[in-house]
Amino acid sequence: MKKLFSKSKVIAFCLLVVLMVVGLTGCKTKNDKVIRVGTNAEFPPFEYMDENGKPTGFDIELITAICNEMGYEVEIVNMEFKSLIASIQTGGIDASIAGMTVTEERKQSVNFSESYFNATQYIILPIDSSITDIAQLNGKRIAVQEGTTGDLIATPGTEDSMITDTSTVIKRFKKGTDAVLELKNGGVDAVIIDSSPAKKFVSSNTKTLKYIDTNMDAEEYAIAVSKDKNEILDIINEGLIKVKENGTYDALIEQYFGEGDVVIRKTSDNWFINLWYTFEFVFISNGGYKLILSGLGTTLLISVCAVLLGVVLGMVLAFMKLTEEKKHKKTLLSRIASLYIDIIRGTPVIVQLLIMYMIVFQNRIGVVAAIVTFGMNSAAYVAEIIRAGIMAVDHGQMEGGRSLGFTYGQTMRFIILPQAIKNILPALCNEFIVLIKETSVVGYVAVQDLTKASDFIISRTYETFIPLITIALIYYVIVKVLSKVFAAFERRLRKSDKR
């Protein structure tokens, strides 16, 4: 046992060293000539994902031009809109540009640059709606993007609210695109959103949607910066003046808000042909297949690495818990393993992921944060599976091995574990399959996996059925292939059981 456990401790120690090195590399290394800027790339035309899965848009090009003018590079970090200010405060990012309105409430948490854009709130409505004023939305169903000005003015009881009827139903979405899709599907009566994205959304749905002005005062968009980083605020303000003076700002305004050509989609009265036209529009014309392939690669990378980490760490935890079986009492190692398993199994994986990404890794290297999170989460379950498999082997097997002169470790390696593996293989297979599907939440930390790729496609095309069905089929194929592989492996292991 000592020899076997010593190997486990060496593996665990090496694993922890690797994780610490990766974490320190990702969290502590800093280039003074690089400014980390957070955004929420789901607010076209200010920020959105291009066909290669990279954030682009007016805001992205503007902040890049500003920093380049001042001799700095830009690292764009895509995340949830509501996480931007919190990430600035924790130091995960240096600044944020995301069509963010300057408000007194936000000024208490961050500093703002000089304004770079003025906007008002618009109401998006069905093409045949009779609503002509925001007051007529009282008592209606309204969709908004969570945490935006539209959310504030639509929620009765808030300081900025223009809706007073408490029976009004407010549906909050993380993306403006989702709010518009809810309107198109008849789930709400209207969407309140900033003017520029409203025009963008309606221009892509001219046959079904329209917009009206709320007649509110213009709002100012500005770049948010930590209150502790006045030097970065000065850099951004000076750079903004320069890009306005050299014509870059006007060129970007014309590029993203000028009268552009509207892409006309092919349609047909034939259902099958129309389905093909939609497929072509989603995956070929808009480059959706590139996002899918990129997302698939990320999903497989995270899954495979997390599985390996989960097995290694799970094996270590299992033997740590087994020390109490050998000594017939709880040991320090078994208590540590039990505490780890209890904490991991008692908290949601999404919370673990957010803690790992936002606190431990400081909003950096999201893929590594996801691998570590899912690997550590899986290890808690794998440990119990392995422990249960070992304990299910008849105790006489251990006694027989020891009577033949084997050490405890040799008996475990050559007699107990082979039998245990055959018993636990179906449970391990199930755990790996669950882990692969669990990785679909990594979009919360701005990692573009398969599920996040479908979100980006939907936000660009306003089509939901084909992207979501495609993602579901890909997950199904992955799980089916894994199930077949494990089944074949299990049959091979059980050949020796036949007499």
Side-chain angles (χ1 to χ4, degrees), residues 196-246:
S196 295
K199 293 176 181 178
K200 183 72 174 180
F201 290 140
V202 171
S203 69
S204 301
N205 299 273
T206 54
K207 294 183 179 180
T208 57
L209 302 178
K210 65 179 180 180
Y211 60 79
I212 60 174
D213 195 341
T214 60
N215 296 314
M216 292 179 61
D217 293 335
E219 303 168 331
E220 294 183 339
Y221 287 175
I223 302 165
V225 180
S226 171
K227 286 183 173 293
D228 299 327
K229 297 183 178 179
N230 290 326
E231 69 281 3
I232 292 181
L233 183 64
D234 293 338
I235 291 168
I236 290 174
N237 279 329
E238 186 178 344
L240 181 58
I241 293 173
K242 290 184 176 181
V243 297
K244 286 184 175 181
E245 290 176 346
N246 64 23

Side-chain angles (χ1 to χ4, degrees), residues 296-309 371 374-375 432 435-440 475 478 482:
L296 176 61
T298 301
T299 293
L300 293 177
L301 173 65
I302 293 173
S303 299
V304 171
C305 293
V307 163
L308 294 176
L309 176 59
I371 290 171
F374 288 108
F432 297 159
L435 185 147
I436 289 172
K437 291 186 289 186
E438 279 184 343
T439 62
S440 61
Y475 274 114
I478 293 173
L482 276 178

Side-chain angles (χ1 to χ4, degrees), residues 389-390 393-423:
I390 292 174
V393 177
D394 191 274
H395 187 66
Q397 299 286 322
M398 175 62 72
E399 295 176 348
R402 297 304 298 273
S403 66
L404 292 174
F406 286 177
T407 65
Y408 185 94
Q410 289 173 330
T411 305
M412 186 66 73
R413 177 183 175 186
F414 295 111
I415 298 177
I416 305 300
L417 282 179
Q419 297 179 69
I421 288 174
K422 287 194 291 186
N423 294 332

Side-chain angles (χ1 to χ4, degrees), residues 99-393:
M100 186 177 290
T101 304
V102 179
T103 65
E104 292 301 321
E105 181 182 8
R106 288 170 179 163
K107 283 182 178 180
Q108 296 177 19
S109 302
V110 294
N111 287 334
F112 282 100
S113 69
E114 296 298 321
S115 172
Y116 68 85
F117 196 87
N118 290 335
T120 61
Q121 293 295 307
Y122 274 17
I123 303 172
I124 304 178
L125 300 162
I127 194 73
D128 58 352
S129 175
S130 60
I131 294 173
T132 58
D133 184 80
I134 191 169
Q136 293 177 289
L137 294 180
N138 276 288
K140 304 290 187 181
R141 299 167 301 167
I142 305 173
V144 296
Q145 184 176 357
E146 184 179 30
T148 61
T149 304
D151 187 357
L152 296 177
I153 68 173
T155 304
T158 62
E159 183 178 346
D160 301 310
S161 178
M162 298 183 68
I163 303 296
T164 57
D165 191 339
T166 55
S167 67
T168 304
V169 177
I170 308 299
K171 292 188 177 182
R172 296 174 177 84
F173 296 88
K174 295 187 180 299
K175 300 179 295 180
T177 306
D178 290 344
V180 174
L181 287 172
E182 182 75 3
L183 176 64
K184 290 185 65 178
N185 294 331
V188 292
D189 302 303
V191 173
I192 300 179
I193 200 167
D194 289 11
S195 56
S196 295
K199 293 176 181 178
K200 183 72 174 180
F201 290 140
V202 171
S203 69
S204 301
N205 299 273
T206 54
K207 294 183 179 180
T208 57
L209 302 178
K210 65 179 180 180
Y211 60 79
I212 60 174
D213 195 341
T214 60
N215 296 314
M216 292 179 61
D217 293 335
E219 303 168 331
E220 294 183 339
Y221 287 175
I223 302 165
V225 180
S226 171
K227 286 183 173 293
D228 299 327
K229 297 183 178 179
N230 290 326
E231 69 281 3
I232 292 181
L233 183 64
D234 293 338
I235 291 168
I236 290 174
N237 279 329
E238 186 178 344
L240 181 58
I241 293 173
K242 290 184 176 181
V243 297
K244 286 184 175 181
E245 290 176 346
N246 64 23
T248 302
Y249 179 85
D250 291 335
L252 291 175
I253 288 290
E254 177 61 30
Q255 177 183 346
Y256 286 97
F257 303 102
E259 296 295 330
D261 297 329
V262 178
V263 178
I264 304 299
R265 292 178 53 177
K266 297 179 181 178
T267 58
S268 172
D269 294 332
N270 184 290
W271 179 87
F272 184 78
I273 295 177
N274 197 54
L275 182 65
W276 164 250
Y277 283 156
T278 303
F279 183 88
E280 189 272 340
F281 174 73
V282 169
F283 291 114
I284 300 176
S285 298
N286 284 280
Y289 75 95
K290 295 181 181 179
L291 294 174
I292 293 294
L293 291 176
S294 175
L296 176 61
T298 301
T299 293
L300 293 177
L301 173 65
I302 293 173
S303 299
V304 171
C305 293
V307 163
L308 294 176
L309 176 59
V311 170
V312 173
L313 186 55
M315 182 74 75
V316 173
L317 291 169
F319 281 113
M320 288 173 67
K321 287 205 70 175
L322 284 171
T323 57
E324 70 180 50
E325 299 297 327
K326 185 176 185 234
K327 296 190 178 290
H328 304 292
K329 66 177 182 179
K330 289 186 178 295
T331 65
L332 176 62
L333 292 176
S334 70
R335 291 178 186 276
I336 293 173
S338 296
L339 179 62
Y340 175 93
I341 292 170
D342 185 57
I343 293 173
I344 293 296
R345 294 197 304 186
T347 54
V349 68
I350 184 63
V351 175
Q352 298 167 15
L353 180 62
L354 291 173
I355 292 173
M356 186 65 67
Y357 178 68
M358 299 184 70
I359 299 177
V360 178
F361 282 83
Q362 293 285 292
N363 297 90
R364 300 172 188 267
I365 46 179
V367 171
V368 177
I371 290 171
V372 174
T373 301
F374 288 108
M376 293 178 64
N377 180 272
S378 180
Y381 298 92
V382 170
E384 291 295 81
I385 292 172
I386 293 175
R387 187 176 69 90
I390 292 174
M391 294 182 66
V393 177

